[in-house]
Amino acid sequence: QVQLVESGGGLVQAGGSLGLSCAASGRTFASYAMGWFRQAPGKEREIVTGISWSGAVIYYADSVKGRFTISRDNAKNTVYLQMNSLKPEDTAVYYCAASVSLSRMRSSFGDYWGQGTQVTVSS
């Protein structure tokens, strides 16, 4: 069992930045691919980014590429999402997820989920 807890969401103006953190516990953190998903009201959950267990392979959705950065610190059991140049369309609940593989995560399959943190971007 992997437990994930997100933090760092909030309200920010368009063009601003936010950093999200996800703290993991319960299992060996380094054995899992990690990622972030988001879901806006009335819309399906979508993958934002994912990172392999070693950090060597990273995936970004086209909508956030060049603006968001995912990183992980296995020694601290933490994954981060740095969000820059935020747009109103980035508004959503952001969920941290863990998966047994990055390929699985890219297919929108998360094996463990956090509770989510709200990110709201105003114009």
Side-chain angles (χ1 to χ4, degrees):
Q1 183 70 38
V2 175
Q3 300 171 63
L4 305 172
V5 181
E6 305 98 332
S7 62
L11 174 65
V12 65
Q13 288 187 318
S17 299
L18 281 176
L20 306 182
S21 297
C22 175
S25 63
R27 297 282 290 275
T28 303
F29 176 76
S31 67
Y32 290 90
M34 301 294 298
W36 294 89
F37 291 75
R38 66 186 182 187
Q39 186 169 21
K43 298 182 65 178
E44 293 186 353
R45 181 190 63 201
E46 63 178 355
I47 189 169
V48 177
T49 180
I51 185 168
S52 66
W53 68 269
S54 68
V57 183
I58 296 175
Y59 166 83
Y60 293 104
D62 289 342
S63 60
V64 306
K65 191 174 181 64
R67 300 188 297 120
F68 291 10
T69 303
I70 188 172
S71 61
R72 66 189 296 166
D73 188 336
N74 290 345
K76 297 180 179 179
N77 294 336
T78 303
V79 62
Y80 305 95
L81 180 64
Q82 180 64 43
M83 304 182 292
N84 299 325
S85 301
L86 283 161
K87 305 174 181 179
E89 51 263 45
D90 295 318
T91 296
V93 177
Y94 283 70
Y95 297 91
C96 180
S99 181
V100 296
S101 74
L102 183 58
S103 294
R104 179 173 169 84
M105 183 165 289
R106 289 183 61 184
S107 298
S108 298
F109 291 108
D111 296 302
Y112 301 96
W113 297 89
Q115 295 301 304
T117 185
Q118 177 71 45
V119 172
T120 302
V121 184
S122 65
S123 60

